[in-house]
Amino acid sequence: MHRMIGRRKLLEAAGLALAFSPSRRALADELLRQGRDPQNLATPTALFDRLITPTPSFFVRSHFGPPALDRERPLRVDGLVATALTLDAAELERSFPPVTVTAVLQCAGNGRAFHEPRVPGLQWTHGAMGQATFTGVRLRDLLRRAGVAAENLAHTHVHVLGADGPPKPSTPAFLRSIPIERALDPTTLVAYKMNGEALTLAHGAPLRLVVPGWAGDHWVKWLTKLSVQKAEATGFYMATAYRMPTEKVTPGAAVPPEKMRPATTFPVKSIIGSPADGGRAPAGPQRVAGVAFSGDAPIAKVEVSIDDGKTWRAAKLEGEPGAGRWVVFEHRFDRTEPGRVRALARATDRKGNTQPERAAWNPSGYHWNAWHAVSWEVA
Ligand SMILES: Nc1nc2c(c(=O)[nH]1)N[C@H]1C(S)=C(S)[C@@H](COP(=O)(O)O)O[C@H]1N2
Ligand SMILES: [Mo]
């Protein structure tokens, strides 16, 4: 047991060391602007070959831009609780046991650009995701301290609000809610640290929600209020946005609202980070590396094909498997003949979910997870 933990620590440390090594510094500080607004930034695909995404190049998604930085901003816990609480990040850190999780944070719209027919919204390719360690307190511990009566421990909802006000009164606020069952999950955190450092403003300082396995829209930043309520939150960001069809739909078809539900668990997926698509490599040993994850279950295997899907070989996996957490995969082979090589990757989780050749189209283009293909020239 001890040896396993030692090995895991070592692997994570190696991932971090690699991420911050001087030769990688330029890439690790890079973010790619996504769309017109400066607050939406994508992680370069080349960084998807390691366990931890360095914070300076961790994607950023924000609807209205960040509020002013206030490390003492109070967080209120109220609603159906015995005692309402008001605490800031320092008090939270002092009064509850710290918990650290390693988890994938991925926007529901990641990969939207690949859906056909095209869907409106930010045209993310692969860069609206990353993996980091998040440290904070269990939402469960916070709710316990406030006191939730037994009859409210099921079928209620925790409404979650951040300090980023909408730009105009006519614009709806980014109000979200999660079911109490998910709020009580031991991995759901109110986090104050990311990758071992205090949260940066872009990523939600001083406090943000962490909901491993669920899409990024649940991970509310700049927290001001958590409120236990009987009903799910309403408003644009719950009732209209971030919803998926309950059944398979014909690409391009309209879906009636009653056949939509909130987008929660992200599906099994793998992305090749190296080599870069369209690049070159000398003849000889070739290496395909990437990341694989599923919101639902730990990754069981990743297969790579270099013959357009006719045959598949199991890739070597690195990192601790877990639901909502990525592992790094690697496949090596030799290519002595010059010419074009095309590699495909396909992940399967322990519940038997396998990455599909084509992603399920849906009106908002969420949860794209088709096989990733990368081509390069061997010279
Ligand atoms: N308060 C607030 N929280 C928010 C958002 C927002 O606009 N406002 N955007 C959400 C969305 S859609 C995503 S994908 C994640 C992105 O987190 P990151 O910017 O730390 O990568 O934050 C979520 N939390
Ligand atoms: Mo998102």
Side-chain angles (χ1 to χ4, degrees):
M1 196 57 198
H2 264 100
R3 285 185 60 176
M4 269 182 67
I5 289 168
R7 184 176 142 73
R8 186 216 334 154
K9 284 253 155 65
L10 211 73
L11 287 170
E12 292 198 342
L16 278 169
L18 181 64
F20 290 114
S21 73
S23 62
R24 287 293 199 172
R25 175 60 56 74
L27 182 60
D29 287 349
E30 197 185 323
L31 276 165
L32 311 165
R33 195 147 149 177
Q34 181 69 62
R36 269 182 306 143
D37 304 323
Q39 71 260 19
N40 296 315
L41 303 162
T43 300
T45 306
L47 285 169
F48 300 138
D49 67 346
R50 64 199 68 190
L51 289 172
I52 295 292
T53 311
T55 307
S57 38
F58 202 101
F59 92 96
V60 180
R61 167 68 174 125
S62 146
H63 292 80
F64 318 125
L69 177 62
D70 176 4
R71 298 235 174 243
E72 284 156 31
R73 179 177 294 126
L75 166 64
R76 183 154 172 94
V77 183
D78 66 11
L80 300 170
V81 297
T83 320
L85 310 173
T86 305
L87 339 95
D88 65 13
E91 289 172 294
L92 215 64
E93 190 167 352
R94 264 201 314 273
S95 22
F96 294 91
V99 176
T100 298
V101 300
T102 301
V104 173
L105 166 50
Q106 178 177 229
C107 183
N110 196 27
R112 177 180 288 129
F114 304 116
H115 279 291
E116 284 173 42
R118 187 181 186 276
V119 292
L122 285 174
Q123 298 298 302
W124 297 106
T125 56
H126 301 303
M129 65 174 200
Q131 174 154 278
T133 65
F134 296 92
T135 304
V137 309
R138 290 197 165 107
L139 178 49
R140 182 168 86 172
D141 292 349
L142 206 53
L143 292 174
R144 239 179 227 159
R145 174 84 49 101
V148 179
E151 76 263 25
N152 290 324
L153 289 174
H155 312 299
T156 55
H157 300 263
V158 179
H159 292 211
V160 190
L161 195 64
D164 51 337
K168 296 182 278 189
S170 56
T171 311
F174 190 74
L175 172 66
R176 303 273 317 160
S177 71
I178 59 172
I180 191 87
E181 292 78 6
R182 181 65 230 223
L184 296 173
D185 184 292
T187 67
T188 304
L189 305 185
V190 171
Y192 43 76
K193 281 188 183 174
M194 175 174 172
N195 288 337
E197 309 271 354
L199 274 178
T200 60
L201 180 63
H203 296 295
L207 297 169
R208 86 169 306 163
L209 205 62
V210 166
V211 192
W214 282 22
D217 47 293
H218 301 275
W219 298 46
V220 178
K221 303 194 273 191
W222 313 300
L223 288 177
T224 55
K225 195 160 133 163
L226 297 165
S227 188
V228 182
Q229 299 288 329
K230 278 275 178 227
E232 203 172 74
T234 54
F236 177 79
Y237 290 104
M238 284 300 287
T240 306
Y242 299 115
R243 295 179 83 83
M244 294 276 289
T246 50
E247 295 158 19
K248 210 175 167 209
V249 299
T250 312
V255 182
E258 65 275 14
K259 292 229 160 138
M260 301 281 270
R261 56 166 181 83
T264 56
T265 308
F266 48 75
V268 64
K269 177 170 177 176
S270 66
I271 290 294
I272 298 169
S274 174
D277 192 38
R280 301 180 146 270
Q286 309 291 311
R287 175 178 174 267
V288 177
V291 296
F293 54 95
S294 158
D296 208 18
I299 288 298
K301 64 174 177 183
V302 179
E303 297 160 294
V304 173
S305 174
I306 50 168
D307 56 9
D308 292 319
K310 284 195 269 304
T311 61
W312 296 86
R313 298 291 297 272
K316 207 174 84 195
L317 304 184
E318 182 188 302
E320 192 189 319
R325 168 173 184 146
W326 78 37
V327 292
V328 167
F329 67 89
E330 183 191 83
H331 176 63
R332 291 174 184 270
F333 61 97
D334 281 313
R335 181 55 64 95
T336 45
E337 296 287 297
R340 192 166 157 273
V341 182
R342 181 166 180 265
L344 292 168
R346 169 175 89 179
T348 301
D349 71 22
R350 287 191 192 158
K351 285 194 183 165
N353 301 302
T354 290
Q355 203 175 342
E357 184 171 2
R358 298 184 153 270
W361 186 93
N362 60 92
S364 298
Y366 296 139
H367 290 172
W368 181 88
N369 70 333
W371 297 351
H372 186 207
V374 160
S375 300
W376 68 100
E377 205 61 34
V378 169

